Amino acid sequence: MRYAEVSVNSPIAQRQTFSYAIPANLDIEVGQAVWVPFGSKTLQGIVIKLSPFPSVEETKDIGGVIEAHPLLSPARVSLALWLSNRYLSPLFEAVALMLPPGFERQTLTFISSSSSAGSADLSSLSAESRQVLDQIRDQGRTSLKDLERRLGKRKAQALVTQLVNRGLLTRDYEPEPVKVAPKREPYLSLGITPAEAGKIAADLHRKHGNKQAVVLEMLTGPAGTIPWAVVREKAKCTRAVVDALVRKGLITLQYVAVQRDPLAGYPI
């Protein structure tokens, strides 16, 4: 039997790691993200160390693997340990500095009927437990939150725990969907030919529509499509100027996904 020392995503964990047994069907490496039972919950954790012996007498099994490959190299795990020791910070906070964005998500619990539930003797179950079991059989895989909304949090958790312990239901876990959306910025481009834009710009200059003319002249250049932020700064115009040109069909405005740069604006 192999064991893993895991940094758990919980404020209770502080600077500690916790020993978990590695089930025979799991291939675990240092730096890997795993699901681990922690009190009454199942939480995310990062494997910090592997060992042939546990650091405590009784251990629970690792519940499953979140990612097939390690998220952190051994060098980054060592750096996280150094940061935690040097600055007396919770270990998982030090680990989280090097994790991919969106990793620290809440865990969603799903319930499904076990393979043995169909042939089991249900005579000793309460009417409420049988009702929950029947609902899950009919619906298939069901989130624990849905059950909690229907039955109340305490009752749903108690019934599910009872049925899981009887081998009639199984739990599995997933991180909640990523809430971070791609960053999108407005870009401007011509809706007409450059020759037409040049003529209209000249006409606007004569009619004192100078701001609109400047925007059209910028877009007739070799760049073609230009970020709105650049146009706003160079043309010294407001969004109302752009909106007026869009309404006339002279330019188009579209939102383009751009790469986030946390170091933008820093002289490095």
Side-chain angles (χ1 to χ4, degrees):
M1 175 76 73
R2 293 192 308 151
Y3 298 88
E5 293 294 321
V6 178
S7 172
V8 181
N9 184 8
S10 169
I12 301 172
Q14 291 299 309
R15 294 166 59 208
Q16 300 180 63
T17 59
F18 295 83
S19 284
Y20 290 92
I22 301 175
N25 64 322
L26 294 183
D27 186 18
I28 302 294
E29 299 179 53
V30 169
Q32 200 157 8
V34 293
W35 294 118
V36 291
F38 195 77
S40 61
K41 299 180 179 179
T42 294
L43 301 178
Q44 298 155 317
I46 297 292
V47 176
I48 300 298
K49 179 183 176 184
L50 299 176
S51 173
F53 305 103
S55 59
V56 292
E57 290 185 8
E58 295 185 11
T59 60
K60 295 180 179 179
D61 286 356
I62 288 177
V65 171
I66 298 176
E67 296 287 344
H69 303 287
L71 294 179
L72 299 184
S73 66
R76 291 187 175 183
V77 170
S78 296
L79 177 58
L81 288 166
W82 181 87
L83 285 170
S84 178
N85 290 330
R86 177 68 176 81
Y87 297 103
L88 304 180
S89 71
L91 179 54
F92 195 87
E93 288 187 12
V95 168
L97 295 172
M98 291 168 273
L99 292 176
F103 175 79
E104 295 181 80
R105 291 174 270 161
Q106 289 186 350
T107 305
L108 302 179
T109 305
F110 291 89
I111 312 298
S112 53
S113 179
S114 69
S115 56
S116 60
S119 58
D121 179 12
L122 308 180
S123 58
S124 61
L125 292 180
S126 67
E128 204 165 31
S129 295
R130 283 199 297 271
Q131 186 179 8
V132 169
L133 188 59
D134 289 341
Q135 287 177 354
I136 293 173
R137 281 174 175 169
D138 293 340
Q139 295 176 1
R141 190 166 179 256
T142 305
S143 75
L144 181 59
K145 282 191 174 181
D146 286 343
L147 283 177
E148 289 174 351
R149 279 193 288 267
R150 290 203 301 259
L151 304 174
K153 188 171 183 178
R154 287 188 179 182
K155 183 182 288 186
Q157 291 182 355
L159 289 172
V160 166
T161 299
Q162 178 195 28
L163 293 170
V164 168
N165 291 341
R166 294 278 301 263
L168 302 174
L169 295 179
T170 59
R171 289 191 189 101
D172 62 284
Y173 307 93
E174 289 181 7
E176 67 179 351
V178 177
K179 296 178 181 177
V180 178
K183 184 179 180 181
R184 304 175 74 84
E185 291 185 354
Y187 276 68
L188 305 178
S189 58
L190 284 177
I192 53 177
T193 66
E196 290 173 321
K199 291 178 182 178
I200 294 171
D203 189 45
L204 285 170
H205 276 302
R206 287 193 296 271
K207 295 178 180 178
H208 305 291
N210 293 336
K211 295 294 185 183
Q212 293 185 16
V214 170
V215 172
L216 285 174
E217 288 169 346
M218 286 183 65
L219 295 175
T220 57
T225 301
I226 304 177
W228 153 238
V230 173
V231 173
R232 179 182 58 201
E233 181 179 350
K234 291 188 175 181
K236 307 298 181 187
C237 67
T238 65
R239 183 62 178 266
V241 172
V242 168
D243 290 341
L245 290 170
V246 170
R247 285 195 299 271
K248 294 176 183 177
L250 302 179
I251 68 172
T252 61
L253 184 149
Q254 58 183 339
Y255 285 83
V256 178
V258 296
Q259 187 73 30
R260 295 176 187 269
D261 184 4
L263 302 181
Y266 287 89
I268 295 178

